[in-house]
Amino acid sequence: AQSVAQPEDQVNVAEGNPLTVKCTYSVSGNPYLFWYVQYPNRGLQFLLKYITGDNLVKGSYGFEAEFNKSQTSFHLKKPSALVSDSALYFCAVRPMNSGNTPLVFGKGTRLSVIA
Amino acid sequence: KAGVTQTPRYLIKTRGQQVTLSCSPISGHRSVSWYQQTPGQGLQFLFEYFSETQRNKGNFPGRFSGRQFSNSRSEMNVSTLELGDSALYLCASSPSGGGAYSYEQYFGPGTRLTVT
């Protein structure tokens, strides 16, 4: 069965500094990987996804993520954090070519960007 | 296109009651998934409906049920509510067609259920 680990419940970063939110996964075969963001009192918003091809994926709001197959990781990054990036971030995975297997989400990492 | 809508946004119920939540997917999306979000457990998958058929089911008791209508709108029902059912219930729709794109889910704002 597939699983996702987000090892940090909380990440604090100063505005203007680079940020990284970590995600590792376990899946049979090749993965589809996703990042979602949740702002207070809102549903999840899609940020980016990895399907195949270039290991560096660029997404919304200046975020990017790097797929590392050997380390089974898909860390979310941004070169310069904004206070408005403060939110809850979820990593999700499903196996490629697995029919209709639903997405599995990590437990989320709360990002706090301090001015 | 209008996004995923969920009604009601907030709900307070008493233990033992039952509740029905509604979700309208993005126009043209035929897959609707439901999730329960709690601070301790994160996002837990409840079930997925596609073309009025339940395609996947998570590990929840039979008190949790759902259905999908011919217009793709979906409802979920929780009977005999327990205090632990207090959560944010999220609905997500996906475009049909298979592959990774069908798993680029679009979430509604959720229904905040409080059981007292």
Side-chain angles (χ1 to χ4, degrees):
Chain A
Q2 62 264 30
S3 64
V4 174
Q6 293 181 243
E8 301 154 317
D9 291 336
Q10 173 96 27
V11 170
N12 298 319
V13 64
E15 187 176 29
N17 282 2
L19 71 86
T20 299
V21 182
K22 295 179 181 177
C23 170
T24 58
Y25 66 90
S26 173
V27 72
S28 298
N30 294 317
Y32 291 142
L33 291 156
F34 303 82
W35 275 102
Y36 287 83
V37 60
Q38 185 178 35
Y39 297 100
N41 299 315
R42 305 279 295 274
L44 276 67
Q45 294 178 33
F46 170 79
L47 272 181
L48 52 79
K49 67 186 176 198
Y50 170 81
I51 305 171
T52 187
D54 195 348
N55 289 344
L56 185 64
V57 179
K58 294 189 184 295
S60 308
Y61 313 121
F63 284 94
E64 57 189 30
E66 186 167 11
F67 170 62
N68 187 316
K69 188 172 183 177
S70 63
Q71 297 185 5
T72 61
S73 67
F74 190 56
H75 301 331
L76 181 70
K77 300 182 180 184
K78 188 174 182 181
S80 179
L82 300 172
V83 172
S84 57
D85 293 330
S86 299
L88 188 56
Y89 291 81
F90 289 93
C91 181
V93 68
R94 77 175 283 266
M96 200 180 293
N97 301 322
S98 63
N100 300 313
T101 307
L103 278 175
V104 171
F105 286 83
K107 294 199 171 183
T109 297
R110 188 163 300 281
L111 172 67
S112 180
V113 181
I114 303 157
Chain B
K1 280 185 180 180
V4 177
T5 58
Q6 292 187 244
T7 56
R9 290 292 310 276
Y10 301 91
L11 206 49
I12 300 175
K13 289 286 189 179
T14 304
R15 229 175 354 173
Q17 288 185 315
Q18 68 99 24
V19 66
T20 299
L21 312 181
S22 180
C23 171
S24 293
I26 291 172
S27 178
H29 287 191
R30 291 162 60 192
S31 168
V32 173
S33 298
W34 288 90
Y35 296 85
Q36 181 194 66
Q37 185 181 9
T38 57
Q41 299 297 318
L43 272 165
Q44 292 190 285
F45 173 74
L46 279 156
F47 26 66
E48 181 204 3
Y49 287 88
F50 181 83
S51 294
E52 302 180 65
T53 301
Q54 187 179 88
R55 190 159 70 173
N56 283 295
K57 188 177 190 309
N59 190 25
F60 276 81
R63 300 185 297 108
F64 292 81
S65 63
R67 60 177 174 169
Q68 187 179 34
F69 301 94
S70 58
N71 62 357
S72 293
R73 190 178 69 86
S74 177
E75 290 182 346
M76 67 163 281
N77 184 279
V78 188
S79 62
T80 319
L81 284 165
E82 300 178 359
L83 295 178
D85 297 333
S86 294
L88 181 66
Y89 289 88
L90 292 166
C91 164
S93 74
S94 300
S96 56
Y101 297 96
S102 65
Y103 283 85
E104 189 173 313
Q105 295 189 320
Y106 298 83
F107 283 80
T111 295
R112 172 77 61 188
L113 172 64
T114 302
V115 182
T116 61

